[in-house]
Amino acid sequence: MRIFIAFEGSFEPFDVSADETVEAIKLMIKDYFHIPLSEDEQGRRYLELMYAGAALRNSWSLADVGISFCSTLKCFLKEEDKPTLYVFNAVTQETMPIMESVSLLGKTVSDLRTEVTLRCGLPVSVYCLRTPAGLEMYDRNTLRDYQTHLGTTLRLDVWDGWKEFLMGCLLGQKLKVQRYLSREGPVLKYQRRVALYIAAFYGYAELTEWALKQGARPHEAVGAHPYRAWCHEALHADVSKCPIHAAAEAGQLLVLKTFVHCSVLCLECKDPAGQTPLAIASKHRHKDCVLYLLNKMWSTVSFLKISVPMRIYIKIKQWILRAQSHSLRRSQLCRAGVRGAKVGDIVMVDGFTQPKMTSKSWHKAGNQDSQGNSSKLPPLRGHATSRKPGDSVAVPQRDAGDGPLVLPPLVDADAFSELQRHQQQSQIKITSTAWRKEGRMKNAYLPQVPLPPFSRAGCSLPCYSTARSEDVLLKSCFASFQQHSGRTPRENAIYCLAVA
């Protein structure tokens, strides 16, 4: 059976059998046209046959596909580059291919992290890269220092307890971002800047507006985590990138308009390479962003009697902000204000401290969900609850530092009956005395210090079903107080409040 092969402008006949496979036809074409095919770690060169607009697989035979006598097959030579590296994102659980040249393996980890940030939108200060063995990779070392080869899969880890927060930022879910914010003041401010950066990269309008209302500024650098406050020399250069740069890199026109409306200083905000948002948008070929930024840069700002070009207006505003910052710094020095890390703060130093970037979840990092768990009050200590006769008495737990427990002395039956008879006699005398003095005490103190309504001043204490020695002693103390002072406890309380 004769078929025809069209390859790069040539049209050649081939005599084959109907049972031939597509793979055998490719070998015939390779030998006839002397095509070099290869497959290695960097990529592969291979042939592809197409019939009636569909690509043919190597295991198919010509008869099964329906190729008949004098059919024409198209042949193409294709080249496929394999990724130089793979990066597994612990937040999204996805593997990201890095399509760069082999020269990337000779560069530093800092260069690789810059490329990863452009791909995933995470600021460089929220994650680190690790080797397949779990070794953290530092920015100033090269990839070959960690025995990194073609096709190696690296791991991207974030700060412990940040997975849910960053996932909310990547999806633009404002409520989820608010739920997993930190309770530490400096870390909370840093998280707001991170949320604004990611929202600007992906173009989330709602999350952008929320972050701006929380105090984050588009021309303010994301910066480093507060735990790295003393590691300025070892920090990545891109920690000084701002959300306006992320919006210009990703071509988010609506976010750019929001940022410029918030502050015109964004137009002259420069990244670590000294590029303005206009230069960044031009580099990444975002035409709409370039036209908008050009229009804003060449506009004028009109006042009552004068119009100032935008560049001059920005320089004046920058000068005013610098003067305000200098005066604020001097006032802080006068008040002996301390900025940055303080005694007792956590500080992370590469290679010396326990790593805190292992991508632990919110709960595994030791945080508690304020919305998921209802707060419970601790049990009251020494609180007497109502109980029935025969019930077991629960002994309250005591702390170790409360000292030895002192119990009242035991009272025998005769002493108890004598004490009860004496108490009843004293109660009768005190009641009569209280009735005589009630009018005088009422007029003297009650109008000045009103107390809540209460039963008669001379009422006896309630009787318990199970008599205890504590109750007996308490009643005897009240009786002794009334006998010697001449006032009931209520009258004494009114008297003391009136004197106060």
Side-chain angles (χ1 to χ4, degrees):
M1 183 177 67
R2 172 164 289 191
I3 62 175
F4 294 90
I5 303 296
F7 176 73
E8 294 183 353
S10 301
F11 193 75
E12 300 295 336
F14 285 84
D15 293 328
V16 297
S17 64
D19 297 333
E20 290 286 350
T21 61
V22 176
E23 185 177 7
I25 302 299
K26 288 182 179 180
L27 293 177
M28 295 172 59
I29 297 173
K30 171 182 175 298
D31 296 336
Y32 183 85
F33 291 101
H34 303 286
I35 303 173
L37 302 179
S38 63
E39 183 173 0
D40 53 14
E41 294 179 349
Q42 300 182 14
R44 64 189 183 113
R45 289 164 56 94
Y46 62 97
L47 294 175
E48 185 176 86
L49 288 178
M50 296 190 67
Y51 177 70
L56 305 179
R57 296 184 180 179
N58 293 335
S59 59
W60 293 351
S61 63
L62 300 183
D64 295 338
V65 181
I67 298 175
S68 58
F69 181 74
C70 292
S71 298
T72 301
L73 305 180
K74 292 183 179 180
C75 183
F76 299 94
L77 178 61
K78 290 191 173 183
E79 295 183 2
E80 184 181 86
D81 293 334
K82 293 183 178 180
T84 307
L85 294 172
Y86 296 91
V87 177
F88 175 76
N89 194 332
V91 179
T92 61
Q93 301 296 314
E94 296 177 352
T95 301
M96 177 175 52
I98 304 297
M99 304 296 297
E100 292 290 334
S101 60
V102 187
S103 60
L104 178 65
L105 299 178
K107 297 182 180 180
T108 60
V109 179
S110 175
D111 298 331
L112 177 59
R113 292 219 296 159
T114 301
E115 180 66 23
V116 171
T117 298
L118 292 176
R119 295 287 303 278
C120 66
L122 294 177
V124 294
S125 55
V126 303
Y127 70 89
C128 70
L129 296 178
R130 296 184 183 276
T131 62
L135 183 64
E136 184 176 354
M137 306 173 71
Y138 300 123
D139 290 332
R140 296 190 177 184
N141 298 336
T142 62
L143 295 176
R144 296 193 184 277
D145 293 338
Y146 297 97
Q147 288 78 38
T148 306
H149 306 288
L150 286 172
T152 303
T153 301
L154 305 178
R155 180 181 173 87
L156 185 150
D157 280 327
V158 297
W159 290 97
D160 294 342
W162 279 51
K163 287 181 65 176
E164 293 81 0
F165 165 75
L166 292 177
M167 198 63 193
C169 294
L170 294 175
L171 297 178
Q173 298 176 353
K174 184 185 71 172
L175 296 179
K176 188 172 183 178
V177 172
Q178 295 174 346
R179 180 177 182 179
Y180 293 103
L181 288 174
S182 175
R183 295 180 177 85
E184 301 180 31
V187 179
L188 177 61
K189 294 180 181 180
Y190 172 66
Q191 284 183 330
R192 291 170 180 169
R193 298 194 297 267
V194 171
L196 184 60
Y197 185 96
I198 299 176
F201 185 87
Y202 287 98
Y204 296 133
E206 184 181 6
L207 187 59
T208 299
E209 293 177 0
W210 173 82
L212 291 175
K213 291 180 181 179
Q214 294 299 316
R217 293 292 174 260
H219 58 279
E220 182 182 6
V222 176
H225 195 284
Y227 293 173
R228 303 292 301 270
W230 289 354
C231 305
H232 300 288
E233 297 181 355
L235 294 178
H236 196 286
D238 287 346
V239 297
S240 58
K241 288 180 65 175
C242 306
I244 184 66
H245 302 140
E249 289 174 348
Q252 301 294 343
L253 180 59
L254 295 179
V255 177
L256 279 176
K257 291 181 179 180
T258 303
F259 286 170
V260 175
H261 178 74
C262 178
S263 176
V264 294
L265 296 178
C266 297
L267 297 173
E268 285 292 336
C269 182
K270 296 183 179 181
D271 65 351
Q275 296 178 332
T276 60
L278 177 59
I280 296 174
S282 302
K283 177 182 178 182
H284 292 83
R285 300 180 180 180
H286 299 305
K287 182 179 178 181
D288 296 338
C289 298
V290 171
L291 293 177
Y292 171 75
L293 293 174
L294 276 174
N295 186 26
K296 281 294 182 180
M297 287 298 299
W298 291 100
S299 62
T300 58
V301 181
S302 299
F303 296 97
L304 185 61
K305 296 182 179 180
I306 190 175
S307 295
V308 181
M310 181 61 72
R311 292 181 180 273
I312 303 299
Y313 175 74
I314 291 175
K315 290 185 180 298
I316 294 175
K317 198 164 186 178
Q318 288 176 345
W319 177 78
I320 294 174
L321 292 177
R322 282 197 300 269
Q324 292 177 350
S325 64
H326 290 328
S327 62
L328 180 62
R329 190 178 298 112
R330 284 196 296 269
S331 63
Q332 288 178 349
L333 290 176
C334 293
R335 295 194 304 265
V338 181
R339 302 181 62 185
K342 301 179 288 296
V343 175
D345 292 349
I346 300 176
V347 177
M348 298 293 300
V349 181
D350 293 341
F352 291 92
T353 54
Q354 187 71 19
K356 290 186 176 295
M357 300 181 73
T358 57
S359 301
K360 290 183 180 179
S361 63
W362 171 268
H363 300 283
K364 291 184 179 179
N367 299 309
Q368 294 182 356
D369 192 354
S370 58
Q371 297 183 4
N373 299 329
S374 59
S375 58
K376 296 182 179 179
L377 295 175
L380 295 177
R381 296 177 51 195
H383 179 67
T385 58
S386 60
R387 48 190 171 87
K388 300 178 181 180
D391 294 346
S392 60
V393 180
V395 181
Q397 297 181 356
R398 305 175 64 256
D399 296 335
D402 291 346
L405 178 63
V406 180
L407 296 177
L410 296 177
V411 182
D412 55 0
D414 298 336
F416 175 74
S417 58
E418 181 67 23
L419 182 60
Q420 190 174 11
R421 186 171 57 257
H422 177 72
Q423 180 183 357
Q424 293 176 357
Q425 295 176 359
S426 301
Q427 186 68 27
I428 295 174
K429 295 179 182 179
I430 293 172
T431 304
S432 59
T433 306
W435 277 104
R436 289 194 302 269
K437 296 182 179 180
E438 183 177 2
R440 183 175 68 257
M441 297 294 295
K442 181 176 181 180
N443 296 330
Y445 305 117
L446 281 181
Q448 302 175 8
V449 187
L451 291 180
F454 193 74
S455 60
R456 291 185 176 182
C459 65
S460 60
L461 295 173
C463 298
Y464 295 91
S465 58
T466 304
R468 294 183 301 176
S469 58
E470 297 95 314
D471 300 333
V472 175
L473 291 175
L474 185 61
K475 292 178 182 179
S476 62
C477 291
F478 282 158
S480 302
F481 173 79
Q482 293 174 354
Q483 183 179 3
H484 291 87
S485 64
R487 293 191 297 267
T488 63
R490 176 179 173 83
E491 293 173 351
N492 186 66
I494 297 175
Y495 174 79
C496 293
L497 286 175
V499 171

